[in-house]
Amino acid sequence: MKTAIAPGSSRMNARKIFLRSMLIVVACAPFAFSQSPGDTPPDEQTVRQRADALLQKMTLDEKIGQLSQLFNFGPAKTVDDAVSKGQLGSVLFVTDPAETNRLQHLAVDQTRMHIPLLFGFDVIHGFRTIFPVPIAMAASWDPSAATKAQTIAAKEARSVGIHWAFAPMLDIARDPRWGRIVEGAGEDPYLGSAMAAAQVRGFQGDYIGAPDHILACMKHFAGYGAAIGGRDYDEAYIPDTLLYNVYLAPFHAAVKAGIGTAMSAYLDLNDVPATGNRWLLHDVLREQWKFSGFVVSDANSVKSLEIHRFAKDTYQAGVYAFKAGVNMEMALGFTAYSKSLATAVERGEITAQEIEEAARPILEMKIRLGLFEHPYVDEARSKQILAMPEHRVASRLAAERTAVLLRNEHELLPLSKTAYKKIAVIGPLADSKIDTLGSWAFRHDLAETVTVLEGLKSKLGSQAEVSFAQGVQIRRKTPSMLDPILGLKPAPVWTDQQSTEEFSNATHLANSSDLAILVLGEAQNMSGESASRESLDLPGREEELLEAVAATGKPVVLVLLNGRPLDIKWASEHIPAILDAWYPGTQGGNAIANLLFGDAVPGGKLPFTWVRDVGQVSTYYAHNTTQAPESQGKRYWDEESTPLYPFGYGLSYSTFQFSNLKLSQTQLKSGDSMDVSVDVENTGASTADEVAQLYIHQQYGSTSRPVRELKGFQRFTLAADEKKTVHFSIGKEELTYWSTAKKAWVEEASKFDVWVGGNSNATLHGDFVVTQ
């Protein structure tokens, strides 16, 4: 058995490590690995036997210790003492490799069983290199792009000693007021499932324990994105039909992809808090899906069972969460498990065997990750990995791939590099590094982040004069809960005179320029956890600024930085070019410059329905056909019911034509599959990407079915005048759904519509019949 020694360790430390290794070898013999961890997938029987060998020698308190996780916030002594006494199985928010090694030495050298710690962190859309936010990655409609991004994130995180990412977030969100829509894949379970599996592959590699990879954690299980009113943390009431067919689907896809851990949610689901919900955490997750990993609570959500008025006190909260199926409690200060589980065993409320069963998958993950053999970090190697320039290139390419072109009247885009000698770049987000990155980015290098202004100046050099005016100031009324972690302090509020002068500067700059590029949207802390909004309006005076600049008569390009659809009704009619760049990450400014000037071609598609304003919430494409379907788009007498932009929508600098839809058969027996093909031709002058999307509709059955459901998509590149035949498969997996009427998964005899096109309003149509 090999033991990695931290750089600078003394001979005495080396001797301690050697003795510790011998103890573990004895404890686990004859089950030690013959090869270095990570070379090949560990044998599952060996993993189980090694975990059992440890459990046989552990005391009850040591087993309970493995079930507790603390943030590394506050006095170091609190965590140090808990680690040294074997009272912690995991620590989170440690990103300094030297500190990781120090804490790991406490666990390995000073505890009786020498069990290493599992270090976790919120690696959401990058670690040092920040990629576009998750909703943007979903807009790529390219699962391989998500896999590549999370592979790089995993490599960087693992290099500093992080073993476990609290991602991907798989919550379906159909209410854009909910701030955490930015962390997921949008409104659709099929697209969400594809992105879920892709991220699992990126984080974990081909197997848990693969070199330079980490554990993934699917969150928040489950239904968190359906919170009433889009209000973060509020309860959700979700019928079985939506739970199984929509909200649980991405989680099930992650389990099928081999995800190692799950996180319980904060919300009350149908009046039972998710962290105390045995139906969710046991019946669905373990019994129905055969999940064999472990469940961690969201931060303090075990103790919060008392706040929910579900548990009468902290002791009962710990017992309820444990019996529901939470293996590990994440907490600040202390865990309810450390205060309640030993007593609960004494009282006979739970058994020592149940404690052992809860600890086993945690130990098994540590064994799979090779932590017993290699508990420490190579600090020199970490610096090399974090500095890899190819990671920044990958970030730029991802940002180019995720942008969605919403409007391009008179082909204003791509811009000519020589036509505009004076360019005005205007807006509060145009030169803001932190807002270019987006929320949930903690350990980035802010100095190397490229803003839109910097990207444009670098792109054009001496070819054009690029000038900047902020124009307006935007800020949250109350700070985000994440601001202290990021070290952010509120910017000074402008006086009325400053505000008037800066607004005037911006309009004068636009008027004296040949072209205005406005960079508007939301500040990064307006999106994410604890960032729900009652309005979708452009914040502050951004709308006023937009209209004032447009009134100059100069050509205007609107670039949006955002994590949700915003109210841009006026812009959609008056601004000729609109590019949604999301929060594009470390290389966002360079990517946006490439997109605006044609060195990259937008090919992203919307992962949600873009509503006209907040009055349309919740609007999503996969609704049911209800009374008077001919007036489906006229459900308001005072406003259109149709969205501003449909799900799956996105323009290009080229054009595409779909034709020759063919179904390999028009009658399909239940359980069989068929081929659907379509020709896609690039009818424009530019090489560009298109996303072919397949939708179906079951015309009748035991329950009402959505008017359209996405059941296939492919992104590909076509040269000008190139034609490609795209193939999809429709079979049992695509046709089966959970029927509330039958309380079962069914594939029913029915007639089905099928459409293929470039968005959810596709018109190329065919049909087929399924027989029993």
Side-chain angles (χ1 to χ4, degrees):
M1 178 176 289
K2 298 180 180 179
T3 301
I5 300 175
S9 295
S10 67
R11 288 187 178 182
M12 184 171 291
N13 278 339
R15 183 172 180 273
K16 288 180 179 178
I17 295 166
F18 175 77
L19 292 174
R20 187 269 308 169
S21 298
M22 292 303 100
L23 285 171
I24 298 299
V25 169
V26 171
C28 298
F31 310 123
F33 290 119
S34 60
Q35 72 282 338
S36 297
D39 291 346
T40 58
D43 175 72
E44 287 304 306
Q45 182 178 359
T46 301
V47 170
R48 177 77 179 208
Q49 290 171 331
R50 289 188 71 184
D52 285 343
L54 287 168
L55 287 165
Q56 289 172 12
K57 294 179 177 294
M58 293 170 69
T59 66
L60 178 65
D61 286 343
E62 287 169 337
K63 294 170 187 174
I64 292 173
Q66 290 298 305
L67 311 185
S68 292
Q69 178 189 66
L70 289 179
F71 284 84
N72 194 43
F73 296 158
K77 188 176 185 302
T78 301
V79 171
D80 285 7
D81 286 350
V83 172
S84 300
K85 295 174 182 176
Q87 295 172 349
L88 279 184
S90 178
V91 178
L92 64 157
F93 266 74
V94 181
T95 57
D96 177 2
E99 178 65 5
T100 299
N101 283 337
R102 188 188 71 81
L103 287 169
Q104 198 70 285
H105 272 293
L106 292 180
V108 171
D109 297 343
Q110 296 191 22
T111 62
R112 189 181 74 90
M113 291 300 298
H114 315 288
I115 298 173
L117 293 166
L118 188 63
F119 287 95
F121 192 67
D122 282 297
V123 185
I124 308 301
H125 54 110
F127 183 70
R128 162 69 180 272
T129 305
I130 305 303
F131 285 82
V133 289
I135 193 69
M137 295 305 297
S140 74
W141 287 62
D142 180 3
S144 69
T147 298
K148 184 171 184 178
Q150 300 300 31
T151 297
I152 290 173
K155 184 170 186 173
E156 292 186 352
R158 187 66 189 257
S159 78
V160 303
I162 293 167
H163 314 122
W164 184 16
F166 299 119
M169 193 203 85
L170 305 181
D171 295 299
I172 295 295
R174 291 179 164 180
D175 188 334
R177 294 173 298 181
W178 189 57
R180 303 194 78 165
I181 186 174
V182 68
E183 297 175 54
E187 73 180 49
D188 184 73
Y190 189 91
L191 178 62
S193 295
M195 289 296 166
Q199 291 185 79
V200 173
R201 290 192 294 271
F203 281 125
Q204 295 186 172
D206 293 333
Y207 54 90
I208 294 173
D212 290 329
H213 286 80
I214 57 181
L215 272 178
C217 181
M218 61 182 192
K219 66 182 188 184
H220 308 84
F221 196 66
Y224 189 34
I228 288 178
R231 296 184 297 268
D232 210 356
Y233 312 125
D234 270 12
E235 68 267 32
Y237 294 94
I238 310 175
D240 283 357
T241 298
L242 287 178
L243 261 176
Y244 279 112
N245 293 320
V246 177
Y247 290 95
L248 291 179
F251 292 97
H252 196 189
V255 171
K256 291 176 181 177
I259 199 163
T261 68
M263 180 184 291
S264 64
Y266 282 127
L267 85 162
D268 272 12
L269 176 62
N270 300 333
D271 291 329
V272 182
T275 299
N277 194 316
R278 184 170 174 82
W279 177 79
L280 267 181
L281 302 180
H282 180 268
D283 296 1
V284 173
L285 188 58
R286 296 202 182 276
E287 292 297 319
Q288 294 179 23
W289 295 354
K290 309 305 179 186
F291 174 71
S292 60
F294 70 87
V295 176
V296 63
S297 74
D298 207 340
N300 273 2
S301 70
V302 172
K303 289 183 282 188
S304 291
L305 293 179
E306 183 180 356
I307 297 173
H308 282 274
R309 300 297 185 261
F310 184 71
K312 69 178 180 180
D313 53 27
T314 300
Y315 170 84
Q316 193 174 72
V319 173
Y320 279 4
F322 180 84
K323 292 182 77 67
V326 175
N327 298 79
M328 180 182 286
E329 178 187 359
M330 178 195 297
L332 289 159
F334 70 92
T335 65
Y337 280 10
S338 67
K339 304 293 183 183
S340 62
L341 294 189
T343 301
V345 172
E346 292 176 8
R347 295 177 179 176
E349 295 183 57
I350 59 178
T351 67
Q353 181 64 30
E354 288 174 320
I355 298 287
E356 187 169 301
E357 290 302 315
R360 178 177 284 105
I362 298 169
L363 294 173
E364 289 177 347
M365 288 303 172
K366 293 181 178 183
I367 292 167
R368 290 188 183 96
L369 289 168
L371 299 186
F372 286 91
E373 293 80 10
H374 297 282
Y376 306 115
V377 180
D378 183 335
E379 297 176 37
R381 181 175 183 267
S382 171
K383 291 178 181 178
Q384 294 172 354
I385 289 175
L386 296 183
M388 285 181 168
E390 57 265 38
H391 292 183
R392 263 52 107 200
V393 173
S395 172
R396 174 181 59 79
L397 293 173
E400 292 171 2
R401 201 159 182 78
T402 55
V404 179
L405 183 62
L406 297 175
R407 182 173 165 89
N408 194 23
E409 294 300 296
H410 310 299
E411 297 184 348
L412 176 59
L413 297 178
L415 300 169
S416 166
K417 295 185 180 72
T418 58
Y420 306 101
K421 296 303 180 184
K422 297 182 68 177
I423 298 176
V425 180
I426 298 170
L429 305 180
D431 197 32
S432 171
K433 291 181 181 293
I434 193 68
D435 295 313
T436 302
L437 295 177
S439 60
W440 290 104
F442 299 113
R443 293 300 178 260
H444 49 76
D445 184 338
L446 200 60
E448 74 175 13
T449 302
V450 182
T451 67
V452 177
L453 177 64
E454 292 170 337
L456 290 169
K457 285 185 173 181
S458 175
K459 168 68 64 179
L460 295 172
S462 60
Q463 290 179 287
E465 178 186 340
V466 179
S467 303
F468 169 66
Q470 185 172 336
V472 298
Q473 187 181 54
I474 60 172
R475 54 187 287 141
R476 280 180 59 138
K477 294 178 181 178
T478 57
S480 164
M481 62 179 290
L482 300 178
D483 285 356
I485 300 174
L486 291 167
L488 297 180
K489 296 180 180 179
V493 179
W494 290 348
T495 64
D496 289 344
Q497 182 178 351
Q498 287 174 311
S499 181
T500 300
E501 290 177 353
E502 181 58 26
F503 193 98
S504 179
N505 288 341
T507 55
H508 286 153
L509 178 62
N511 199 46
S512 63
S513 300
D514 302 319
L515 169 77
I517 298 174
L518 278 88
V519 187
L520 306 178
E522 296 178 312
Q524 61 84 27
N525 65 357
M526 295 177 176
S527 192
E529 185 171 358
S530 192
S532 295
R533 293 185 63 193
E534 66 175 0
S535 166
L536 299 178
D537 293 346
L538 291 170
R541 298 177 66 194
E542 284 190 331
E543 179 72 27
E544 185 182 348
L545 176 67
L546 176 66
E547 296 185 22
V549 170
T552 66
K554 298 302 175 73
V556 176
V557 176
L558 173 59
V559 176
L560 292 172
L561 302 189
N562 58 305
R564 54 161 64 90
L566 299 170
D567 186 341
I568 56 169
K569 289 196 304 295
W570 188 89
S572 71
E573 296 177 359
H574 298 91
I575 302 301
I578 305 174
L579 180 72
D580 192 341
W582 316 101
Y583 299 110
T586 298
Q587 282 283 308
N590 287 332
I592 291 169
N594 285 345
L595 288 159
L596 293 180
F597 285 92
D599 293 321
V601 178
K605 302 280 188 173
L606 291 178
F608 49 60
T609 301
W610 195 298
V611 294
R612 296 177 183 275
D613 58 33
V614 74
Q616 285 192 330
V617 174
S618 293
T619 295
Y620 46 90
Y621 86 92
H623 58 80
N624 287 0
T625 299
T626 53
Q627 177 67 24
E630 67 279 358
S631 63
Q632 195 76 51
K634 300 176 182 179
R635 296 303 170 109
Y636 303 113
W637 65 264
D638 59 342
E639 183 180 357
E640 284 284 334
S641 297
T642 57
L644 190 63
Y645 303 111
F647 174 82
Y649 173 87
L651 301 175
S652 171
Y653 295 156
S654 197
T655 55
F656 298 90
Q657 180 177 330
F658 288 77
S659 63
N660 196 28
L661 178 65
K662 291 182 179 179
L663 282 61
S664 63
Q665 52 196 100
T666 56
Q667 225 177 40
L668 190 69
K669 287 186 178 180
S670 178
D672 290 346
S673 61
M674 62 184 287
D675 178 77
V676 178
S677 65
V678 65
D679 292 341
V680 185
E681 182 179 4
N682 183 343
T683 55
S686 303
T687 297
D689 283 11
E690 177 60 300
V691 180
Q693 304 165 37
L694 179 143
Y695 296 86
I696 67 169
H697 168 58
Q698 181 174 325
Q699 292 189 6
Y700 47 86
S702 59
T703 68
S704 296
R705 303 299 299 132
V707 294
R708 295 193 182 194
E709 294 180 283
L710 179 70
K711 293 297 179 180
F713 65 88
Q714 293 183 41
R715 179 168 177 163
F716 46 85
T717 303
L718 292 178
D721 298 321
E722 183 182 359
K723 182 185 289 188
K724 175 185 177 70
T725 301
V726 181
H727 292 267
F728 299 96
S729 178
I730 295 178
K732 185 177 181 64
E733 186 172 347
E734 290 74 29
L735 300 176
T736 298
Y737 74 98
W738 176 267
S739 168
T740 301
K742 296 185 177 179
K743 299 295 182 186
W745 292 98
V746 297
E747 181 185 3
E748 296 177 322
S750 181
K751 187 174 184 179
F752 287 80
D753 297 293
V754 57
W755 297 268
V756 180
N759 61 63
S760 58
N761 284 347
T763 57
L764 193 59
H765 175 264
D767 57 59
F768 61 95
V769 173
V770 173
T771 60
Q772 293 294 345

